[in-house]
mmCIF file of all heavy atoms in Angstrom:
data_model
loop_
_atom_site.group_PDB
_atom_site.id
_atom_site.type_symbol
_atom_site.label_atom_id
_atom_site.label_comp_id
_atom_site.label_asym_id
_atom_site.label_seq_id
_atom_site.Cartn_x
_atom_site.Cartn_y
_atom_site.Cartn_z
ATOM 1 N N VAL K 4 -5.729 62.229 -165.665
ATOM 2 C CA VAL K 4 -4.614 63.264 -165.671
ATOM 3 C C VAL K 4 -3.838 63.015 -166.981
ATOM 4 O O VAL K 4 -3.144 62.066 -167.141
ATOM 5 C CB VAL K 4 -3.708 63.128 -164.456
ATOM 6 C CG1 VAL K 4 -2.582 64.109 -164.600
ATOM 7 C CG2 VAL K 4 -4.459 63.345 -163.218
ATOM 8 N N ILE K 5 -3.995 64.042 -167.901
ATOM 9 C CA ILE K 5 -3.258 63.946 -169.146
ATOM 10 C C ILE K 5 -2.185 65.107 -169.166
ATOM 11 O O ILE K 5 -2.582 66.251 -169.101
ATOM 12 C CB ILE K 5 -4.232 64.121 -170.336
ATOM 13 C CG1 ILE K 5 -5.236 62.946 -170.288
ATOM 14 C CG2 ILE K 5 -3.444 64.064 -171.682
ATOM 15 C CD1 ILE K 5 -6.255 63.000 -171.397
ATOM 16 N N ILE K 6 -0.925 64.693 -169.238
ATOM 17 C CA ILE K 6 0.124 65.754 -169.156
ATOM 18 C C ILE K 6 0.767 65.898 -170.495
ATOM 19 O O ILE K 6 1.289 64.914 -171.040
ATOM 20 C CB ILE K 6 1.159 65.352 -168.102
ATOM 21 C CG1 ILE K 6 0.498 65.274 -166.696
ATOM 22 C CG2 ILE K 6 2.364 66.311 -168.044
ATOM 23 C CD1 ILE K 6 1.399 64.656 -165.620
ATOM 24 N N PHE K 7 0.812 67.105 -171.006
ATOM 25 C CA PHE K 7 1.494 67.376 -172.311
ATOM 26 C C PHE K 7 2.890 67.917 -172.010
ATOM 27 O O PHE K 7 2.987 68.933 -171.316
ATOM 28 C CB PHE K 7 0.741 68.437 -173.117
ATOM 29 C CG PHE K 7 -0.327 67.682 -173.955
ATOM 30 C CD1 PHE K 7 -1.591 67.612 -173.361
ATOM 31 C CD2 PHE K 7 -0.190 67.274 -175.242
ATOM 32 C CE1 PHE K 7 -2.694 66.969 -174.148
ATOM 33 C CE2 PHE K 7 -1.205 66.719 -175.997
ATOM 34 C CZ PHE K 7 -2.435 66.577 -175.468
ATOM 35 N N ILE K 8 3.969 67.321 -172.520
ATOM 36 C CA ILE K 8 5.209 67.893 -172.487
ATOM 37 C C ILE K 8 5.732 68.028 -173.933
ATOM 38 O O ILE K 8 5.229 67.393 -174.895
ATOM 39 C CB ILE K 8 6.289 67.141 -171.735
ATOM 40 C CG1 ILE K 8 6.510 65.675 -172.237
ATOM 41 C CG2 ILE K 8 5.907 67.039 -170.230
ATOM 42 C CD1 ILE K 8 7.709 64.998 -171.660
ATOM 43 N N GLY K 9 6.766 68.849 -174.154
ATOM 44 C CA GLY K 9 7.316 69.042 -175.519
ATOM 45 C C GLY K 9 7.992 70.405 -175.577
ATOM 46 O O GLY K 9 7.712 71.290 -174.719
ATOM 47 N N PRO K 10 8.740 70.593 -176.541
ATOM 48 C CA PRO K 10 9.525 71.888 -176.668
ATOM 49 C C PRO K 10 8.530 73.000 -177.027
ATOM 50 O O PRO K 10 7.437 72.790 -177.460
ATOM 51 C CB PRO K 10 10.508 71.665 -177.836
ATOM 52 C CG PRO K 10 9.976 70.547 -178.584
ATOM 53 C CD PRO K 10 9.188 69.683 -177.653
ATOM 54 N N SER K 13 5.713 73.164 -180.036
ATOM 55 C CA SER K 13 5.510 71.720 -180.566
ATOM 56 C C SER K 13 4.022 71.476 -180.864
ATOM 57 O O SER K 13 3.700 70.474 -181.489
ATOM 58 C CB SER K 13 6.096 70.714 -179.663
ATOM 59 O OG SER K 13 5.592 70.793 -178.335
ATOM 60 N N GLY K 14 3.145 72.307 -180.217
ATOM 61 C CA GLY K 14 1.744 72.080 -180.387
ATOM 62 C C GLY K 14 1.002 71.660 -179.196
ATOM 63 O O GLY K 14 -0.211 71.263 -179.218
ATOM 64 N N LYS K 15 1.688 71.759 -178.017
ATOM 65 C CA LYS K 15 1.061 71.413 -176.764
ATOM 66 C C LYS K 15 -0.318 72.183 -176.468
ATOM 67 O O LYS K 15 -1.291 71.626 -176.162
ATOM 68 C CB LYS K 15 1.949 71.687 -175.535
ATOM 69 C CG LYS K 15 3.309 71.075 -175.635
ATOM 70 C CD LYS K 15 4.172 71.420 -174.340
ATOM 71 C CE LYS K 15 4.518 72.858 -174.235
ATOM 72 N NZ LYS K 15 5.413 73.468 -175.278
ATOM 73 N N GLY K 16 -0.233 73.481 -176.812
ATOM 74 C CA GLY K 16 -1.374 74.405 -176.514
ATOM 75 C C GLY K 16 -2.522 73.983 -177.438
ATOM 76 O O GLY K 16 -3.663 73.789 -177.056
ATOM 77 N N THR K 17 -2.181 73.861 -178.727
ATOM 78 C CA THR K 17 -3.178 73.612 -179.753
ATOM 79 C C THR K 17 -3.919 72.173 -179.387
ATOM 80 O O THR K 17 -5.116 72.161 -179.359
ATOM 81 C CB THR K 17 -2.470 73.425 -181.144
ATOM 82 O OG1 THR K 17 -1.811 74.598 -181.474
ATOM 83 C CG2 THR K 17 -3.504 73.048 -182.224
ATOM 84 N N GLN K 18 -3.096 71.211 -179.149
ATOM 85 C CA GLN K 18 -3.698 69.921 -178.924
ATOM 86 C C GLN K 18 -4.389 69.787 -177.574
ATOM 87 O O GLN K 18 -5.373 69.137 -177.426
ATOM 88 C CB GLN K 18 -2.552 68.811 -178.974
ATOM 89 C CG GLN K 18 -1.978 68.598 -180.429
ATOM 90 C CD GLN K 18 -3.027 68.298 -181.446
ATOM 91 O OE1 GLN K 18 -3.970 67.656 -181.170
ATOM 92 N NE2 GLN K 18 -2.791 68.678 -182.729
ATOM 93 N N SER K 19 -3.800 70.413 -176.487
ATOM 94 C CA SER K 19 -4.369 70.266 -175.194
ATOM 95 C C SER K 19 -5.784 70.912 -175.148
ATOM 96 O O SER K 19 -6.715 70.374 -174.521
ATOM 97 C CB SER K 19 -3.532 70.693 -174.065
ATOM 98 O OG SER K 19 -3.145 71.943 -174.237
ATOM 99 N N LYS K 20 -5.913 71.998 -175.838
ATOM 100 C CA LYS K 20 -7.241 72.694 -175.964
ATOM 101 C C LYS K 20 -8.301 71.814 -176.643
ATOM 102 O O LYS K 20 -9.412 71.654 -176.283
ATOM 103 C CB LYS K 20 -7.137 74.049 -176.648
ATOM 104 C CG LYS K 20 -6.546 75.102 -175.786
ATOM 105 C CD LYS K 20 -6.596 76.406 -176.632
ATOM 106 C CE LYS K 20 -5.970 77.587 -175.675
ATOM 107 N NZ LYS K 20 -6.008 78.860 -176.414
ATOM 108 N N LEU K 21 -7.826 71.182 -177.798
ATOM 109 C CA LEU K 21 -8.713 70.322 -178.536
ATOM 110 C C LEU K 21 -9.183 69.162 -177.669
ATOM 111 O O LEU K 21 -10.331 68.731 -177.680
ATOM 112 C CB LEU K 21 -8.005 69.788 -179.796
ATOM 113 C CG LEU K 21 -7.739 70.847 -180.906
ATOM 114 C CD1 LEU K 21 -6.847 70.245 -182.009
ATOM 115 C CD2 LEU K 21 -9.103 71.283 -181.582
ATOM 116 N N ILE K 22 -8.196 68.504 -176.989
ATOM 117 C CA ILE K 22 -8.462 67.273 -176.321
ATOM 118 C C ILE K 22 -9.381 67.586 -175.045
ATOM 119 O O ILE K 22 -10.345 66.898 -174.706
ATOM 120 C CB ILE K 22 -7.156 66.588 -175.854
ATOM 121 C CG1 ILE K 22 -6.445 66.068 -177.015
ATOM 122 C CG2 ILE K 22 -7.425 65.485 -174.801
ATOM 123 C CD1 ILE K 22 -7.144 64.972 -177.884
ATOM 124 N N ALA K 23 -9.051 68.701 -174.359
ATOM 125 C CA ALA K 23 -9.842 69.148 -173.210
ATOM 126 C C ALA K 23 -11.346 69.404 -173.629
ATOM 127 O O ALA K 23 -12.276 68.931 -172.961
ATOM 128 C CB ALA K 23 -9.232 70.350 -172.524
ATOM 129 N N HIS K 30 -8.651 72.484 -168.640
ATOM 130 C CA HIS K 30 -7.331 72.762 -169.347
ATOM 131 C C HIS K 30 -6.542 73.679 -168.487
ATOM 132 O O HIS K 30 -6.971 74.806 -168.143
ATOM 133 C CB HIS K 30 -7.614 73.373 -170.692
ATOM 134 C CG HIS K 30 -6.462 73.852 -171.407
ATOM 135 N ND1 HIS K 30 -6.357 75.125 -171.916
ATOM 136 C CD2 HIS K 30 -5.267 73.247 -171.727
ATOM 137 C CE1 HIS K 30 -5.119 75.238 -172.518
ATOM 138 N NE2 HIS K 30 -4.512 74.139 -172.354
ATOM 139 N N ILE K 31 -5.351 73.140 -168.050
ATOM 140 C CA ILE K 31 -4.495 74.040 -167.266
ATOM 141 C C ILE K 31 -3.171 74.285 -168.138
ATOM 142 O O ILE K 31 -2.285 73.394 -168.249
ATOM 143 C CB ILE K 31 -4.238 73.399 -165.938
ATOM 144 C CG1 ILE K 31 -5.547 73.386 -165.133
ATOM 145 C CG2 ILE K 31 -3.159 74.220 -165.151
ATOM 146 C CD1 ILE K 31 -5.452 72.853 -163.857
ATOM 147 N N THR K 33 0.047 76.433 -167.855
ATOM 148 C CA THR K 33 0.758 77.311 -166.859
ATOM 149 C C THR K 33 1.220 78.633 -167.590
ATOM 150 O O THR K 33 1.318 79.616 -166.956
ATOM 151 C CB THR K 33 2.057 76.572 -166.241
ATOM 152 O OG1 THR K 33 2.633 75.792 -167.162
ATOM 153 C CG2 THR K 33 1.548 75.713 -165.071
ATOM 154 N N VAL K 86 -8.303 66.358 -166.014
ATOM 155 C CA VAL K 86 -7.518 67.642 -166.365
ATOM 156 C C VAL K 86 -6.471 67.341 -167.348
ATOM 157 O O VAL K 86 -5.754 66.294 -167.350
ATOM 158 C CB VAL K 86 -6.894 68.170 -165.069
ATOM 159 C CG1 VAL K 86 -6.057 69.423 -165.394
ATOM 160 C CG2 VAL K 86 -7.905 68.465 -164.022
ATOM 161 N N VAL K 87 -6.300 68.277 -168.264
ATOM 162 C CA VAL K 87 -5.195 68.295 -169.252
ATOM 163 C C VAL K 87 -4.214 69.315 -168.766
ATOM 164 O O VAL K 87 -4.540 70.513 -168.633
ATOM 165 C CB VAL K 87 -5.651 68.632 -170.662
ATOM 166 C CG1 VAL K 87 -4.417 68.595 -171.594
ATOM 167 C CG2 VAL K 87 -6.661 67.609 -171.109
ATOM 168 N N PHE K 88 -2.936 68.935 -168.501
ATOM 169 C CA PHE K 88 -1.875 69.851 -168.044
ATOM 170 C C PHE K 88 -1.057 70.187 -169.269
ATOM 171 O O PHE K 88 -0.521 69.307 -169.955
ATOM 172 C CB PHE K 88 -1.016 69.224 -166.992
ATOM 173 C CG PHE K 88 -1.682 69.173 -165.666
ATOM 174 C CD1 PHE K 88 -2.327 68.002 -165.237
ATOM 175 C CD2 PHE K 88 -1.626 70.237 -164.762
ATOM 176 C CE1 PHE K 88 -2.957 67.827 -163.991
ATOM 177 C CE2 PHE K 88 -2.202 70.149 -163.518
ATOM 178 C CZ PHE K 88 -2.895 68.924 -163.153
ATOM 179 N N ASP K 89 -0.940 71.493 -169.693
ATOM 180 C CA ASP K 89 -0.331 71.932 -170.815
ATOM 181 C C ASP K 89 0.993 72.729 -170.422
ATOM 182 O O ASP K 89 0.887 73.763 -169.876
ATOM 183 C CB ASP K 89 -1.279 72.835 -171.528
ATOM 184 C CG ASP K 89 -0.796 73.656 -172.631
ATOM 185 O OD1 ASP K 89 0.371 73.537 -173.023
ATOM 186 O OD2 ASP K 89 -1.600 74.506 -173.213
ATOM 187 N N GLY K 90 2.087 72.091 -170.613
ATOM 188 C CA GLY K 90 3.368 72.777 -170.315
ATOM 189 C C GLY K 90 3.624 72.941 -168.883
ATOM 190 O O GLY K 90 4.506 73.797 -168.509
ATOM 191 N N ALA K 91 2.913 72.272 -168.021
ATOM 192 C CA ALA K 91 2.985 72.561 -166.542
ATOM 193 C C ALA K 91 4.212 71.897 -165.935
ATOM 194 O O ALA K 91 4.412 72.159 -164.770
ATOM 195 C CB ALA K 91 1.697 72.132 -165.949
ATOM 196 N N ILE K 92 4.904 71.079 -166.666
ATOM 197 C CA ILE K 92 6.062 70.321 -166.064
ATOM 198 C C ILE K 92 7.216 70.458 -167.015
ATOM 199 O O ILE K 92 7.244 70.057 -168.128
ATOM 200 C CB ILE K 92 5.711 68.831 -165.865
ATOM 201 C CG1 ILE K 92 4.524 68.816 -164.882
ATOM 202 C CG2 ILE K 92 6.934 68.073 -165.410
ATOM 203 C CD1 ILE K 92 3.900 67.419 -164.771
ATOM 204 N N ARG K 93 8.334 71.122 -166.556
ATOM 205 C CA ARG K 93 9.438 71.451 -167.431
ATOM 206 C C ARG K 93 10.807 70.943 -166.901
ATOM 207 O O ARG K 93 11.865 71.081 -167.545
ATOM 208 C CB ARG K 93 9.595 72.990 -167.664
ATOM 209 C CG ARG K 93 8.264 73.646 -167.908
ATOM 210 C CD ARG K 93 8.139 73.948 -169.332
ATOM 211 N NE ARG K 93 6.794 74.622 -169.533
ATOM 212 C CZ ARG K 93 6.489 75.322 -170.509
ATOM 213 N NH1 ARG K 93 7.302 75.611 -171.427
ATOM 214 N NH2 ARG K 93 5.275 75.827 -170.685
ATOM 215 N N VAL K 115 -1.187 59.917 -167.506
ATOM 216 C CA VAL K 115 -0.443 59.569 -168.778
ATOM 217 C C VAL K 115 0.338 60.922 -169.196
ATOM 218 O O VAL K 115 -0.198 61.966 -169.095
ATOM 219 C CB VAL K 115 -1.365 59.092 -169.879
ATOM 220 C CG1 VAL K 115 -2.484 59.991 -170.177
ATOM 221 C CG2 VAL K 115 -0.603 58.720 -171.116
ATOM 222 N N VAL K 116 1.522 60.686 -169.741
ATOM 223 C CA VAL K 116 2.348 61.840 -170.213
ATOM 224 C C VAL K 116 2.482 61.700 -171.715
ATOM 225 O O VAL K 116 2.905 60.641 -172.236
ATOM 226 C CB VAL K 116 3.676 61.836 -169.520
ATOM 227 C CG1 VAL K 116 4.520 63.034 -170.043
ATOM 228 C CG2 VAL K 116 3.474 61.840 -168.065
ATOM 229 N N LEU K 117 2.018 62.764 -172.427
ATOM 230 C CA LEU K 117 2.117 62.746 -173.885
ATOM 231 C C LEU K 117 3.125 63.802 -174.318
ATOM 232 O O LEU K 117 3.026 64.984 -174.064
ATOM 233 C CB LEU K 117 0.795 63.142 -174.495
ATOM 234 C CG LEU K 117 -0.371 62.275 -174.119
ATOM 235 C CD1 LEU K 117 -1.662 62.903 -174.703
ATOM 236 C CD2 LEU K 117 -0.194 60.846 -174.689
ATOM 237 N N GLU K 118 4.245 63.238 -174.968
ATOM 238 C CA GLU K 118 5.261 64.162 -175.444
ATOM 239 C C GLU K 118 4.924 64.430 -176.908
ATOM 240 O O GLU K 118 4.870 63.519 -177.760
ATOM 241 C CB GLU K 118 6.634 63.422 -175.374
ATOM 242 C CG GLU K 118 7.699 64.277 -175.984
ATOM 243 C CD GLU K 118 8.978 63.460 -176.310
ATOM 244 O OE1 GLU K 118 8.930 62.300 -176.437
ATOM 245 O OE2 GLU K 118 9.997 64.057 -176.423
ATOM 246 N N VAL K 119 4.788 65.745 -177.189
ATOM 247 C CA VAL K 119 4.593 66.111 -178.644
ATOM 248 C C VAL K 119 5.942 66.395 -179.134
ATOM 249 O O VAL K 119 6.577 67.315 -178.768
ATOM 250 C CB VAL K 119 3.696 67.306 -178.745
ATOM 251 C CG1 VAL K 119 3.412 67.611 -180.256
ATOM 252 C CG2 VAL K 119 2.345 67.104 -177.955
ATOM 253 N N VAL K 188 13.240 65.091 -168.325
ATOM 254 C CA VAL K 188 11.781 64.925 -167.955
ATOM 255 C C VAL K 188 11.229 63.741 -168.666
ATOM 256 O O VAL K 188 10.490 62.915 -168.082
ATOM 257 C CB VAL K 188 10.965 66.225 -168.229
ATOM 258 C CG1 VAL K 188 9.562 66.048 -167.902
ATOM 259 C CG2 VAL K 188 11.538 67.416 -167.544
ATOM 260 N N TYR K 192 9.686 60.207 -166.868
ATOM 261 C CA TYR K 192 8.437 59.521 -167.173
ATOM 262 C C TYR K 192 8.568 58.189 -167.894
ATOM 263 O O TYR K 192 7.691 57.320 -167.667
ATOM 264 C CB TYR K 192 7.486 60.524 -167.929
ATOM 265 C CG TYR K 192 7.026 61.583 -167.057
ATOM 266 C CD1 TYR K 192 7.211 62.957 -167.462
ATOM 267 C CD2 TYR K 192 6.213 61.334 -165.994
ATOM 268 C CE1 TYR K 192 6.756 63.907 -166.613
ATOM 269 C CE2 TYR K 192 5.676 62.422 -165.150
ATOM 270 C CZ TYR K 192 5.960 63.699 -165.475
ATOM 271 O OH TYR K 192 5.486 64.646 -164.655
ATOM 272 N N ILE K 201 4.299 61.361 -179.267
ATOM 273 C CA ILE K 201 3.368 61.627 -180.500
ATOM 274 C C ILE K 201 4.229 62.427 -181.444
ATOM 275 O O ILE K 201 5.025 63.302 -181.057
ATOM 276 C CB ILE K 201 2.184 62.428 -180.096
ATOM 277 C CG1 ILE K 201 1.505 61.875 -178.943
ATOM 278 C CG2 ILE K 201 1.293 62.754 -181.276
ATOM 279 C CD1 ILE K 201 0.678 60.635 -179.204
ATOM 280 N N VAL K 210 -2.158 64.812 -185.733
ATOM 281 C CA VAL K 210 -1.618 64.734 -184.301
ATOM 282 C C VAL K 210 -2.811 64.434 -183.353
ATOM 283 O O VAL K 210 -2.674 63.655 -182.453
ATOM 284 C CB VAL K 210 -0.957 66.035 -183.958
ATOM 285 C CG1 VAL K 210 -0.409 66.012 -182.506
ATOM 286 C CG2 VAL K 210 0.349 66.214 -184.906
ATOM 287 N N GLU K 211 -3.817 65.230 -183.578
ATOM 288 C CA GLU K 211 -5.017 65.090 -182.688
ATOM 289 C C GLU K 211 -5.565 63.548 -182.741
ATOM 290 O O GLU K 211 -5.835 63.063 -181.674
ATOM 291 C CB GLU K 211 -6.094 65.987 -183.134
ATOM 292 C CG GLU K 211 -7.377 66.055 -182.208
ATOM 293 C CD GLU K 211 -8.502 66.823 -182.785
ATOM 294 O OE1 GLU K 211 -8.390 67.391 -183.918
ATOM 295 O OE2 GLU K 211 -9.547 66.947 -182.040
ATOM 296 N N ILE K 214 -3.201 61.265 -180.783
ATOM 297 C CA ILE K 214 -3.374 61.505 -179.386
ATOM 298 C C ILE K 214 -4.661 60.854 -178.837
ATOM 299 O O ILE K 214 -4.627 60.146 -177.798
ATOM 300 C CB ILE K 214 -3.368 63.001 -178.970
ATOM 301 C CG1 ILE K 214 -2.060 63.681 -179.271
ATOM 302 C CG2 ILE K 214 -3.868 63.276 -177.599
ATOM 303 C CD1 ILE K 214 -1.966 65.128 -179.151
ATOM 304 N N GLU K 215 -5.696 61.036 -179.620
ATOM 305 C CA GLU K 215 -6.975 60.377 -179.187
ATOM 306 C C GLU K 215 -6.832 58.918 -179.112
ATOM 307 O O GLU K 215 -7.319 58.241 -178.222
ATOM 308 C CB GLU K 215 -8.048 60.733 -180.239
ATOM 309 C CG GLU K 215 -8.919 61.855 -179.876
ATOM 310 C CD GLU K 215 -10.013 62.005 -180.853
ATOM 311 O OE1 GLU K 215 -10.830 61.133 -181.109
ATOM 312 O OE2 GLU K 215 -9.972 63.157 -181.529
ATOM 313 N N ILE K 218 -5.041 58.053 -175.945
ATOM 314 C CA ILE K 218 -5.693 58.209 -174.682
ATOM 315 C C ILE K 218 -6.930 57.264 -174.536
ATOM 316 O O ILE K 218 -7.182 56.816 -173.391
ATOM 317 C CB ILE K 218 -5.994 59.640 -174.323
ATOM 318 C CG1 ILE K 218 -6.804 60.343 -175.413
ATOM 319 C CG2 ILE K 218 -4.807 60.423 -174.038
ATOM 320 C CD1 ILE K 218 -7.149 61.789 -175.055
#
Side-chain angles (χ1 to χ4, degrees):
V4 177
I5 300 175
I6 297 170
F7 278 87
I8 62 168
S13 56
K15 303 180 297 294
T17 302
Q18 294 299 333
S19 55
K20 281 185 183 182
L21 289 169
I22 294 298
H30 173 230
I31 295 185
T33 39
V86 177
V87 178
F88 287 94
D89 165 6
I92 298 169
R93 316 258 176 157
V115 59
V116 179
L117 302 174
E118 176 196 22
V119 185
V188 178
Y192 286 120
I201 309 287
V210 175
E211 185 187 3
I214 291 172
E215 261 184 64
I218 57 182

